[in-house]
Amino acid sequence: MLFKTVSRLLPVLGLVGALLAPITADAQEASAGIPVLTKDQAAFDLLPDDIKASGVIKLGTDAHYPPCEYFAEDNVTMLGFGPDLWRAMGQKLGVEVKAESIDFAGLIPGILSKRFDMAIECITDTAEREQQLTFVDYSYDYGDAIYFMASNPVIKEGDFTSLCGLKTAGQSGTNFIDNLQVFSDYCAKKGKPPIQISEVPQAAAVMTGLFAGRIDFMLGAVVAFDEMQKAAPSPVKSFPNALNKRTYMGAIVNKDNTKLSEALLAALKGVIADGAYDTIWDKYRVGHAKLLDPGINLATQRPIVQPEL
């Protein structure tokens, strides 16, 4: 989820503050191949009165995580399965979705402070997060992989013990930090030295740290290998993260905004029924992560049985 081509990475590193990205004609063109959906009046009727009156849902995201959300070359239009999904849900609800990109760490506070009505950014549903927020779960996690430079003589493909004692990093506030800690715990069980984990504020810093040799490996989306290789100054290698637990991903909403969460779930079911959901997930090569029976707070309401490692 951390990768951009070099031409896209440079402007990302220079961003200061939030970027406002309303739905525009360019954004509609970016959703090429996604059918235009008709309004579902029953779903609209579930919305809170203030959103019905304004006709707008304020959405927070961090648009630096292909294939979830990322900026096009114009650095304004948002691409990815997240933007395609929220546009489709907006059509089913008959409202405009105005998306604003900020650092990931600000998304949950943004919901709690009611700066945003909702947030979508491949956010993992966890029991801990459900204590603060309501999740409208729309997908399984599509899986991540370990990425490292091919020139690294220590890391062996598929051998997690070869990561022990090495340096890595993840973006603050993301579940990457927790997943990296799983590696370190695995090393401890094997009698190996722990992994040295650093936190950085922005996703792009993780990738540049790998390229510059400041860290030995990183976690990223399985489906992002091609983009990673394009951005890298020299060959990279990867292997799937078999230690990762399967999880749900969802939109987050303030816990007291039950009308909005129910309306979003109804809209999501409509997007699935109309076939647009299948089109979006296949478009971004994440069909293996489809969740065709979405729900609310599934991490606790419908826990996933994890395989034995």
Side-chain angles (χ1 to χ4, degrees), residues 46 48 134 253-264 296:
L46 294 171
T134 295
V253 176
N254 199 293
K255 284 182 73 70
D256 64 10
N257 203 345
T258 55
K259 288 186 176 180
L260 179 56
S261 59
E262 292 293 343
L264 292 174
I296 292 176

Side-chain angles (χ1 to χ4, degrees), residues 86-100:
W86 73 59
R87 289 169 194 140
M89 292 171 68
Q91 290 172 6
K92 295 303 293 183
L93 291 168
V95 299
E96 180 182 9
V97 180
K98 288 187 176 179
E100 182 180 349

Side-chain angles (χ1 to χ4, degrees), residues 3 143-152 155-160 162-163 210 216-229 232 234-242:
F3 316 132
D144 54 30
I146 291 86
Y147 284 86
F148 60 101
M149 305 310 293
S151 58
N152 189 312
I155 299 177
K156 310 300 181 184
E157 291 187 53
D159 182 0
F160 289 94
S162 69
L163 306 176
L210 179 67
D216 299 298
F217 72 94
M218 60 176 280
L219 280 177
V222 171
V223 296
F225 181 83
D226 291 344
E227 288 298 308
M228 179 66 162
Q229 188 60 77
S234 59
V236 297
K237 289 185 176 181
S238 74
F239 58 91
N241 176 16

Side-chain angles (χ1 to χ4, degrees), residues 2-302:
L2 305 178
F3 316 132
K4 305 176 80 69
T5 60
V6 172
S7 62
R8 291 178 181 172
L9 176 61
L10 295 178
V12 168
L13 295 178
L15 286 178
V16 178
L19 297 172
L20 188 62
I23 303 306
T24 65
D26 287 342
Q28 295 294 347
E29 291 175 8
S31 298
I34 309 303
V36 176
L37 306 181
T38 57
K39 177 181 176 180
D40 181 340
Q41 186 63 42
F44 175 84
D45 291 342
L46 294 171
L47 286 168
D49 290 339
D50 60 334
I51 293 178
K52 288 180 184 176
S54 67
V56 172
I57 292 177
K58 296 177 291 183
L59 180 144
T61 191
D62 183 354
H64 303 111
Y65 287 90
C68 295
E69 303 86 13
Y70 56 101
F71 283 108
E73 297 292 347
D74 62 11
N75 211 30
V76 174
T77 304
M78 293 186 194
L79 307 175
F81 64 82
D84 278 359
L85 178 64
W86 73 59
R87 289 169 194 140
M89 292 171 68
Q91 290 172 6
K92 295 303 293 183
L93 291 168
V95 299
E96 180 182 9
V97 180
K98 288 187 176 179
E100 182 180 349
S101 180
I102 65 172
D103 283 347
F104 183 91
L107 294 179
I108 290 177
I111 294 295
L112 297 178
S113 68
K114 301 186 178 180
R115 172 182 177 181
F116 303 118
D117 299 309
M118 63 182 294
I120 287 181
E121 201 285 313
C122 285
I123 303 170
T124 302
D125 184 355
T126 67
E128 293 74 20
R129 286 173 173 169
E130 286 181 13
Q131 294 177 10
Q132 293 182 288
L133 308 152
T134 295
F135 276 80
V136 181
D137 292 309
Y138 58 77
S139 179
Y140 292 108
D141 191 321
Y142 50 78
D144 54 30
I146 291 86
Y147 284 86
F148 60 101
M149 305 310 293
S151 58
N152 189 312
V154 176
I155 299 177
K156 310 300 181 184
E157 291 187 53
D159 182 0
F160 289 94
T161 61
S162 69
L163 306 176
C164 299
L166 300 185
K167 296 179 180 178
T168 187
Q171 186 184 16
S172 301
T174 69
N175 67 313
F176 281 133
I177 301 297
D178 294 334
N179 289 344
L180 290 169
Q181 186 59 50
V182 169
F183 293 162
S184 195
D185 294 344
Y186 177 83
C187 291
K189 290 180 181 178
K190 296 293 183 179
K192 303 287 185 179
I195 291 169
Q196 303 172 53
I197 304 170
S198 299
E199 295 190 31
V200 296
Q202 293 182 326
V206 180
M207 185 171 69
T208 55
L210 179 67
F211 295 164
R214 292 191 293 271
I215 61 175
D216 299 298
F217 72 94
M218 60 176 280
L219 280 177
V222 171
V223 296
F225 181 83
D226 291 344
E227 288 298 308
M228 179 66 162
Q229 188 60 77
K230 289 177 185 176
S234 59
V236 297
K237 289 185 176 181
S238 74
F239 58 91
N241 176 16
L243 299 182
N244 191 32
K245 294 182 178 180
R246 198 169 197 206
T247 58
Y248 297 107
M249 299 189 302
I252 55 173
V253 176
N254 199 293
K255 284 182 73 70
D256 64 10
N257 203 345
T258 55
K259 288 186 176 180
L260 179 56
S261 59
E262 292 293 343
L264 292 174
L265 180 59
L268 176 57
K269 289 180 177 179
V271 172
I272 292 171
D274 286 355
Y277 181 94
D278 280 334
T279 301
I280 294 167
W281 259 240
D282 291 342
K283 173 182 174 180
Y284 290 97
R285 297 186 297 163
V286 289
H288 59 283
K290 291 177 183 177
L291 177 62
L292 299 179
D293 52 345
I296 292 176
N297 290 339
L298 294 184
T300 55
Q301 299 304 308
R302 197 196 305 161

